[in-house]
Amino acid sequence: MSHVPRRRDASAVAAAVTAASIAVVNAVVTAVFKAAVIAALTAAVTPLVGQTATQPLQVRDILGIREFADRVQLDLSPDGKFVAFTVRNPVRGASVGGEGNTYFSATGVPRSMRGTDVFVTEVITAKTTNLTAERGSSWSPVWSPDGRLLAFLSDRDGQVRVWIWDRARREVRRLALDPVRTFFGFESIRWSPNGRKIAVKLFPSGMTRVQLDRLLPSTSRGASVVLASGDEVTARVFDATGDGAPRDGGVDTAPQPQAVDIDTTRSFLNAELADLAIIDVVTGRVQRMASRARVMGWQWAPDGQSIAFSTRQPDGGVGRLVYDTYDLFVVDTSGKQPARMVAPRMVQEYGLTFSWSPNGRWLAFESERRINVVSRDSSEARRLDAGNREFVQGYRAPLWLSDDALLAESADTLWKIAIASGAASAAVAVTDRRLIDVVAPADAQRFTRRSVVVAVTDPVTKQAGFRMYDLTSGALSAKLEEEGALGATDLA
């Protein structure tokens, strides 16, 4: 018996939908999910052992179930022929990367990514290849814009770095020596529009691992006890008494009431402390754009000349600790000018919901459940009325339909929002299902197709699937639903 995780990532069909015609989109969706994702995971996971029809499920079987890595999206190649994804082996994760601390292994792997491997599956044949072959931990595969290269993170040589897989040559190479510093699964590599560079978070220049560890909460505040038996099955018990409920990956993030200087205080927010950098894909040259910043999200401008990024803990890192407030910056990729703040104190869940307009003149962002726009050359944001509707997306940025209009979700409806007037009109209303998310890549900023595919779920029957709607008429044109669960980005 093989275990196949039931939750699948809605973004996996985005590139296929882009390339497919409306007439065949239902077949494409079916092929990607049934042939690629299900077959790939069936081949990737280890069959449960020691279990027959008359025997109960063993503890070792439960601990050995492999799963999608937390908040790491699948990525479909631009031509729709290959799907890349990350699978985590919890048992192997307990033995790789060194001891480290509560947040990172000794090699710099975030705790939730230990024991991961990158897989690639051919969509049509369902042939699956483990690219990383259990050498350390590897995760967050992202295709280049032309689909020739696949970038991912790995500690296969002793520290987490960026690696590149050449699809034609079937070869893996290290891109640069500089170690990477990311914590959440959604902190992925971002390719430049022309595919010549990538943007990624690196270990802060001039800081040692010991210095960084001293800025993280003490491991004694959630101390764990490991229980082991003769057959090496283990359990880890955490004691969180007196420290509040754990958040964001099972670690204590209870707000501290006092005002502090976060640069000298132990805080969970310092798990994000890093340098935002650009790496040349050919030469491996590293250019650091923002130093010692708690960067959460970053997006290339359409012309590749600027990057917008959000940082945690506003007010320059001094003040009361907060967990849902972010500053938005724009930096010129030439490195000639320092980063400029364009939107202070955005209130979002993870600091990810912002996007560039097609002409690169505007940034749209969500804050306090409202959509806002700000010019890249100023810091005067304007809230769009949109009929006073609330827009809450933890992971999905507002999508630009054109330089004059946005597409955003509220109350199971997709709304077109005019930039000039702020007026909102219903584009797609999902009346008999709950709308999970628009099917689009994790870093999608623009949406130019005439039809949209959305992931939906039935709260009564628990069926989930996909529906395709015409953006002009709002009419349903195709659908695929089955038993199972779908997730947008959070695959926990």
Side-chain angles (χ1 to χ4, degrees), residues 19 79 187:
D79 60 9
E187 297 175 66

Side-chain angles (χ1 to χ4, degrees), residues 393-417:
Q393 282 286 346
Y395 303 101
R396 172 68 63 207
L399 296 171
W400 289 82
L401 295 170
S402 66
D403 290 322
D404 304 314
L406 289 164
L407 184 69
E409 186 270 330
S410 177
D412 299 322
T413 300
L414 292 180
W415 298 87
K416 292 181 181 179
I417 307 173

Side-chain angles (χ1 to χ4, degrees), residues 136-379:
S137 300
S138 305
W139 69 100
S140 291
V142 184
W143 293 102
S144 59
D146 62 8
R148 295 189 305 107
L149 304 175
L150 183 72
F152 61 93
L153 305 179
S154 178
D155 70 339
R156 58 195 289 123
D157 68 346
Q159 289 295 320
V160 177
R161 295 183 173 94
V162 178
W163 293 77
I164 300 289
W165 179 67
D166 189 302
R167 175 170 151 182
R169 297 179 179 179
R170 296 293 198 268
E171 295 177 350
V172 173
R173 65 179 174 90
R174 184 177 61 201
L175 183 57
L177 282 172
D178 299 62
V180 169
R181 182 76 166 187
T182 65
F183 182 71
F184 288 110
F186 54 68
E187 297 175 66
S188 189
I189 294 164
R190 295 282 188 261
W191 287 87
S192 64
N194 62 14
R196 297 175 183 173
K197 298 179 180 180
I198 65 167
V200 68
K201 289 173 61 175
L202 299 180
F203 199 90
S205 179
M207 294 190 72
T208 66
R209 192 168 301 280
V210 172
Q211 289 175 319
L212 275 180
D213 287 349
R214 288 173 179 169
L215 292 177
L216 295 173
S218 172
T219 55
S220 63
R221 293 185 64 190
S224 63
V225 179
V226 177
L227 309 176
S229 64
D231 58 4
E232 298 183 352
V233 174
T234 64
R236 190 173 292 269
V237 181
F238 290 86
D239 179 10
T241 56
D243 288 324
R247 291 173 51 197
D248 286 336
V251 292
D252 174 30
T253 62
Q256 302 177 30
Q258 71 276 19
V260 298
D261 180 351
I262 195 173
D263 290 328
T264 59
T265 302
R266 288 185 180 271
S267 170
F268 165 73
L269 300 185
N270 284 323
E272 300 299 334
L273 190 62
D275 292 349
L276 181 62
I278 295 173
I279 307 179
D280 189 287
V281 175
V282 176
T283 66
R285 177 179 175 270
V286 174
Q287 180 184 5
R288 296 177 188 256
M289 309 304 300
S291 299
R292 300 191 185 185
R294 295 163 189 87
V295 178
M296 291 294 288
W298 55 100
Q299 295 275 26
W300 287 88
D303 61 3
Q305 300 302 307
S306 302
I307 292 179
F309 65 93
S310 62
T311 63
R312 249 184 160 171
Q313 186 61 17
D315 305 322
V318 179
R320 297 184 183 277
L321 297 186
V322 292
Y323 295 90
D324 60 358
T325 306
Y326 305 85
D327 290 335
L328 183 62
F329 293 84
V330 170
V331 62
D332 187 343
T333 56
S334 68
K336 296 179 180 180
Q337 299 291 334
R340 297 181 297 102
M341 185 189 302
V342 295
R345 304 189 71 82
M346 300 186 304
V347 178
Q348 302 182 0
E349 187 172 7
Y350 290 108
L352 305 178
T353 53
F354 59 91
S355 56
W356 289 93
S357 63
N359 61 18
R361 298 176 182 175
W362 297 88
L363 284 157
F365 63 92
E366 181 256 321
S367 182
E368 295 183 297
R369 302 172 180 264
R370 297 292 190 270
I371 301 295
N372 304 261
V373 292
V374 62
S375 168
R376 57 158 294 164
D377 298 320
S378 74
S379 57

Side-chain angles (χ1 to χ4, degrees), residues 381-394:
R382 176 168 57 90
R383 175 168 291 183
L384 304 182
D385 178 75
N388 202 32
R389 293 178 177 86
E390 294 188 349
F391 298 87
V392 183
Q393 282 286 346

